[in-house]
């Protein structure tokens, strides 16, 4: 007995678009999301609370998708943490301290992305935070940073800078790691990016806004270092144009792009690969989001970073394929209805090669050295990891067991990719680390009182 | 040393909480992490090796925002919505086995 | 192509312990270790240094284990000296908790037989009420426990790292990504080894210590022992500031503060996945024994494959077909490490009799293999 025809994990653009199409096709859908409300990170808290016009039109556009989740055949559970996905379609999830087992013949993973960890000396200090986290605080609590410095690279950095300017809290400085050489390397990808012209135009607009607001900009910055000053603010120093700079700020917001959140897909046994252009592991998915696990589809940034528009389109394609596999629509119908989302996906993806090359993460963050902390939970440094490799650890598992990096409550979400970077810098080509149950920590009491349902 | 919030002040919220016994207000829908960040720029916990930490990723990934809520240790503040009357304590060092006896 | 006096196949706790003993005896040693994603029981085990109940039906194993447990303090100290790593050995006694009266009675009978083999008092049995008087926090569902003052535990991951460093420090060569797929006798003595990556290397004496990875090599070199996997599942919790008041064979707090729960057995072939049924069973056991654990979060669960001989006891065998080939395999590599690092060297190097007068050789399997 199934609880639904389809279980969707993640209520961002991919999951919401898929849910809407699946119910239109007659399915009963269970949507599980860990956050308190629908929207994913991109449309986080949209349509809720005070109007925040400075977040922009693109953000407000998410409200329609959220409204579609109100369909009577969609059961959407929030604050629902999935902690196990089993071959065969069982999903075990926790809500308010109680775990539930749900089963469905089809499963769509739409868990999205997380910010790439940005390890450098001092990144664990209070007062250093990912820029995306600051944006979440803007979206959910209307919290605006005081005299913040934005540091790193990537288009999200410009968007957040512009939102901060519009909200009346402009950043004190924008410190970018990308270099002129990187931009030159990205140029050959620019013609293709023209397919996504509106996105490019938006990007140029953001840069103009930052310029006209008089925000100080540094590019080609490297050798980040943060330390507390005597007021408890952050003294941030870096090298740019051959000179050491130092800026004091209450809040240093860093960003080096986003990476697929793969703990659920890895724990579910889906095969993954290393995406060199995006410097991240990603599940291997086909054109409809199918994986090597027969009942599991993946859509959105969790299958490779391409942004919200691409995620929405990929969610639609996956839902159409699931309707087809479930025998609810024919192959022709699936193909016919896929034309629009397929075109949208192609357009949205066209800009990625340019962005990936122009805003590639800086090497010192991919494979840090010395006393920089890599594993924040267990406080393991880059030097500790490099030493374990020198002693013969030849892959992620042995680094983990030798150093404890990745054994804390974040389960490697903040360090696995850096460990991978260090292993690669040391000459190995490491496979994706294994993810196991529970996908998020869960109490012994809750596991002990788990009831078999639908057995 | 008292460190001011790293964020601009907001209007007082309708919900009343305490952080280590001191009053603090929040708005309905705030995450506990947002409420704490708005209140103070200080660490909201220390690690097993005494390093200061505060809420970081704001999306449930990094587990840096762990605090004690109504006696329950290791609660993710960024995944917890504020409730009126919440008694929150900064968590110094690793969590204790049982509910806090303070 | 390097050729050492002795080549060990397997760089886990067993292989490295044997290597350490041979190095201390002045031998030249090469350890061939496999890939990161090999089964590696040494990275999945529970870290007990345990006597209770071992060898109840096989006196040599009871004696051998008692000897190993007694040798641990000195071995840990010598490892610390050579490697600079403290393996967090603690031998302050361990419990076996029971929630079923009949199971406690059965186990008590085992302990009595073991005690007879050892020839000295080795355990006591406590009722549930005794326990609850002695220690606060023990659950009402516990009907009793056995206790052995000699039992203990250590940090098995740090042991592995310490052994690795000690072997390297004493001049042993550890070659990684060197999974041996084939071992054949060489014409001029010794062996030709073929590696998974296609490389070949020579070996003089050969000691198979590769656990499950050694199974097919053991067969091809004429050993009778058939090694089989047995899956055990474990849970580890977030770290705690305070200490659990006990050590048991199924619940132990690692020195870093996390609580490890284990003790399941399943025949699942080479599938080392964790299962919901076993996870729930372990969680129920933990909160029954010590209810305060209910609020503690599990960070990870995993399955690991024990390396089992047909009767479950260690195998120390010399091939009758190729006398330069040795097989050392067991599922208690942590407990037995001090002996593997000392008492096997004369057997391997000087043709001395195998430990316990050959009680652990593989002739004991000859009949069953033939049958």
């Amino acid at each position: 007995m199934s609880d639904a025809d389809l279980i969707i994990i993640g209520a961002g653009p991919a999951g919401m678009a898929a849910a809407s199409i699946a119910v239109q096709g007659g399915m009963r859908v269970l949507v599980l999301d860990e956050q308190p409300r629908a929207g994913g990170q991109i449309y986080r808290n949209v349509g809720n609370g005070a109007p925040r016009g400075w977040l922009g039109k693109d953000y407000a556009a998410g409200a329609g998708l959220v409204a579609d989740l109100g369909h009577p055949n969609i059961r959407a559970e929030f604050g629902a943490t999935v902690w196990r996905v089993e071959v065969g379609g069982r999903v075990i999830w926790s809500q308010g301290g109680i775990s539930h087992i749900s089963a469905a013949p089809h499963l769509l993973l739409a868990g999205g992305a997380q910010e790439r960890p940005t390890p450098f000396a001092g990144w664990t200090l209070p007062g250093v935070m990912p820029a995306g986290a600051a944006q979440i605080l803007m979206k959910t609590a209307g919290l605006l940073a005081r005299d913040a410095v934005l540091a790193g690279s990537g288009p999200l950095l410009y968007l957040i800078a512009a939102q901060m300017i519009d909200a009346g809290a402009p950043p004190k400085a924008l410190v970018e790691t990308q270099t002129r050489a990187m931009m030159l390397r990205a140029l050959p990808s620019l013609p293709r990016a023209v397919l996504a012209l509106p996105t490019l135009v938006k990007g140029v607009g953001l840069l103009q806004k930052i310029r006209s607001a008089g925000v100080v900009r540094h590019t080609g910055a490297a050798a980040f270092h943060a330390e507390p000053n005597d007021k408890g603010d952050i003294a941030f120093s870096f090298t740019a144009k051959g000179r050491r700079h130092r800026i004091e700020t209450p809040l240093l917001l860093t960003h080096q792009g986003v990476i697929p959140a793969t703990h659920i897909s890895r724990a579910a046994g889906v095969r993954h690969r290393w995406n060199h252009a995006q410097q991240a592991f990603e599940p291997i998915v086909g054109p409809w989001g199918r994986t090597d696990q027969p009942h599991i589809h993946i859509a959105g940034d969790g299958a490779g970073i391409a942004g919200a528009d691409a995620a929405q389109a990929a969610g639609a394609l996956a839902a159409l394929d699931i309707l087809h596999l479930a025998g609810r629509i024919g192959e022709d119908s699936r193909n016919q209805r896929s034309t629009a989302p397929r075109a949208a996906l192609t357009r949205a993806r066209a800009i990625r090669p340019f962005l990936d090359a122009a805003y590639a993460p800086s090497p010192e963050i991919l494979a840090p050295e010395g006393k920089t902390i890599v594993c924040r939970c267990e406080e393991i440094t880059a030097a500790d990891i490099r030493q374990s490799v020198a002693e013969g650890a030849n892959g992620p598992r042995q680094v983990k067991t030798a150093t404890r990096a990745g054994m804390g409550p974040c389960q490697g979400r903040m360090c696995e990719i850096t460990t991978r970077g260090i292993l690669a810098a040391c000459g190995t080509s490491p496979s994706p680390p294994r993810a196991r149950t529970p996908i998020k920590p869960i109490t012994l009491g809750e596991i002990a009182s788990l009831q078999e349902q639908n057995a | 040393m008292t460190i001011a919030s790293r964020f601009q002040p907001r209007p007082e919220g309708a919900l009343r909480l305490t952080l280590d016994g001191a009053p603090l207000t929040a708005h309905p829908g705030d995450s506990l992490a947002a409420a704490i960040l708005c209140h103070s720029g200080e660490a909201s916990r220390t690690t097993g090796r005494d390093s200061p930490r505060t809420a970081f990723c704001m999306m449930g990934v990094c587990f840096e925002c762990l605090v004690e809520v109504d006696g329950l240790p290791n609660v993710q503040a960024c995944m917890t919505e504020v409730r009126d009357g919440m008694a929150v304590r900064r968590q110094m060092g690793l969590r204790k086995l049982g509910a806090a006896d303070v | 192509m390097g050729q050492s006096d002795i080549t060990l196949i397997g760089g886990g706790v067993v292989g490295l312990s044997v290597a350490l003993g041979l190095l201390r005896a002045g031998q030249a040693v090469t350890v061939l270790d496999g890939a990161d994603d090999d089964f590696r029981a040494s990275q999945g085990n529970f870290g007990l240094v345990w006597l209770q109940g071992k060898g109840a039906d096989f006196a040599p194993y009871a004696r051998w284990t008692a000897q190993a447990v007694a040798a641990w303090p000195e071995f840990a100290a010598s490892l610390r000296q050579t490697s600079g790593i403290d393996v967090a050995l603690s031998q302050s006694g361990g419990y076996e908790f029971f929630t079923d009266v009949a199971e406690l009675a059965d186990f008590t009978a085992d302990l009595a037989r073991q005690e007879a083999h050892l020839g000295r008092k080795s355990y006591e049995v406590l009722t549930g009420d005794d326990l609850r008087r002695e220690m606060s926090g023990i659950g009402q569902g516990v009907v009793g426990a056995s206790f052995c003052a000699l039992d203990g535990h250590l940090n098995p991951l740090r042991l592995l790292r310490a052994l690795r460093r000690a072997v390297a420090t004493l001049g042993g060569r550890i070659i990684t990504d060197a999974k041996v797929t084939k071992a054949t006798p060489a014409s001029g003595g010794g062996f030709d080894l073929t590696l998974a990556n296609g490389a070949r290397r020579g070996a003089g004496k050969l000691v198979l210590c590769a656990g499950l990875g050694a199974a097919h090599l053991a067969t091809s070199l004429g050993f009778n022992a058939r090694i089989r996997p047995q899956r055990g599942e474990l849970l580890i919790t977030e770290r705690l500031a305070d200490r659990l008041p006990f050590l048991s064979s199924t619940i132990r707090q690692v020195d870093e503060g996390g609580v490890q729960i284990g003790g399941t057995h399943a025949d699942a072939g080479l599938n080392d996945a964790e299962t919901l049924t076993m996870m729930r069973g372990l969680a129920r056991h933990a909160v029954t024994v010590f209810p305060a654990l209910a609020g503690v979060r599990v960070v990870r669960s995993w399955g690991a494959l024990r390396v089992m001989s047909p009767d479950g006891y260690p195998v120390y065998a010399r091939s009758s077909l190729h006398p330069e080939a040795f097989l050392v395999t067991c599922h208690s590599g942590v407990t037995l490490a001090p002996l593997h690092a000392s008492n096997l060297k004369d057997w391997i190097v000087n043709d001395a009799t195998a430990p316990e007068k050959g009680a652990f050789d593989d002739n004991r399997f000859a009949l069953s293999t033939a049958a």
Side-chain angles (χ1 to χ4, degrees), chain A residues 283-348:
Chain A
I284 300 175
V285 301
W288 301 94
R290 289 188 196 178
T291 68
D292 63 335
Q293 295 294 336
H295 64 294
I296 299 180
H297 283 65
I298 307 181
D301 274 356
I305 302 304
D309 293 344
Q312 189 175 336
L317 292 171
L320 289 169
D321 192 48
I322 291 166
L323 285 172
H324 166 57
L325 291 174
R328 291 172 186 268
I329 61 173
E331 194 173 343
D332 288 347
S333 168
R334 177 197 69 174
N335 294 349
Q336 218 169 2
R337 291 175 62 188
S338 72
T339 318
R342 183 78 64 202
L345 186 61
T346 306
R347 269 196 312 277

Side-chain angles (χ1 to χ4, degrees), chain A residues 207-296:
Chain A
L207 282 170
Q208 276 168 352
K209 179 169 286 180
I210 292 163
R211 200 167 301 130
S212 53
V215 176
V216 179
R217 261 183 91 187
H218 300 268
T219 56
F224 282 12
H225 181 96
E227 60 187 37
N229 72 7
D230 53 8
K231 289 185 303 191
D233 284 351
I234 295 295
F236 174 47
S237 52
F238 57 93
T239 305
K241 302 223 164 64
R243 202 162 73 78
R244 201 77 188 144
H245 301 259
R246 183 185 157 102
I247 311 178
E248 303 208 341
T249 172
L251 191 60
L252 173 62
L253 299 174
T254 66
H255 183 73
Q256 291 277 341
V258 298
I259 57 175
T262 56
H263 267 65
I264 295 182
S265 51
R266 278 185 284 141
V270 172
R271 221 148 67 83
H272 287 63
R273 68 177 164 212
W274 179 250
N275 179 328
H276 182 75
Q278 298 202 333
Q279 289 289 307
F281 285 112
E282 63 186 23
I284 300 175
V285 301
W288 301 94
R290 289 188 196 178
T291 68
D292 63 335
Q293 295 294 336
H295 64 294
I296 299 180

